[in-house]
Amino acid sequence: YPPQPRAFPAQDRLDYDETLQPIVAEGMLIVASAANDRVDGLDVETGEERWRFYAEGPVRFAPAYYNGHVYFASDDGYVYCLDRDEGTLNWKMNAAVGNRRILGNERFISVRPCRAGPVIHDGVLYVAAGIWPFEGTYVYALSPEDGSRIWINDGSGATWMNQPHGGATS
């Protein structure tokens, strides 16, 4: 795998995506890559690639695994659900609430990229999209079975505060 391009290379505090973050799910190594916009399923015993799936933007965080499915989010603003065995798409959901793109990290990404890994807790999938308050941020609780919305928080992105990289918001 090629070196992973960081989303914020000039910020020492924001090095969360500097390395691969693979997971193991029932004998399969699942590897997401920001360098090539894909998620791979590899046999743990042999290292043989069983499947490969491409998103339309960097995949910066570890996928999640639940009930035979792999979940991941991408800078393209989408959340994906794949079949663990075949790597086929079960569903994808536009967490970015639109398809507007901007130039980010020398490529086109959503104005509301998914820059957090999916989390599953008590049978609910949680995902987020958006990093710039002026563009809006969205946090979702979804059904892992079909991606349907349980709830959305789309109002807290307007909360004004100093940003962790030192830039003031007001």
Side-chain angles (χ1 to χ4, degrees):
Y1 288 88
Q4 299 301 292
R6 290 175 49 194
F8 299 101
Q11 301 294 326
D12 290 335
R13 289 183 58 198
L14 299 173
D15 61 356
Y16 57 83
D17 58 348
E18 194 167 43
T19 62
L20 295 169
Q21 301 174 19
I23 64 169
V24 175
E26 296 183 36
M28 189 175 296
L29 181 68
I30 311 294
V31 183
S33 175
N36 51 27
D37 305 350
R38 74 179 197 228
V39 178
D40 297 335
L42 309 171
D43 186 281
V44 169
E45 298 288 326
T46 66
E48 179 183 334
E49 182 180 286
R50 303 224 346 239
W51 53 260
R52 176 179 287 181
F53 184 90
Y54 285 93
E56 292 184 30
V59 184
R60 299 187 178 281
F61 291 92
Y65 174 74
Y66 180 73
N67 282 350
H69 297 97
V70 175
Y71 302 88
F72 69 94
S74 169
D75 277 7
D76 64 10
Y78 282 83
V79 178
Y80 295 83
C81 172
L82 307 180
D83 177 79
R84 187 207 65 101
D85 295 330
E86 302 296 323
T88 53
L89 180 67
N90 288 331
W91 57 261
K92 74 179 191 178
M93 183 269 222
N94 185 344
V97 189
N99 290 311
R100 210 166 95 233
R101 303 286 174 128
I102 59 171
L103 188 60
N105 305 104
E106 301 176 354
R107 59 206 312 177
F108 284 105
I109 63 170
S110 172
V111 295
R112 297 177 196 97
C114 293
R115 293 266 173 95
V119 173
I120 297 181
H121 179 71
D122 288 340
V124 177
L125 174 64
Y126 298 92
V127 294
I131 55 175
W132 298 288
F134 60 88
E135 287 290 354
T137 57
Y138 302 83
V139 180
Y140 295 89
L142 304 173
S143 164
E145 286 77 30
D146 61 8
S148 60
R149 184 186 323 167
I150 298 169
W151 57 255
I152 182 173
N153 178 340
D154 57 359
S156 63
T159 304
W160 292 100
M161 63 183 167
N162 286 331
Q163 299 297 307
H165 49 74
T169 59
S170 59

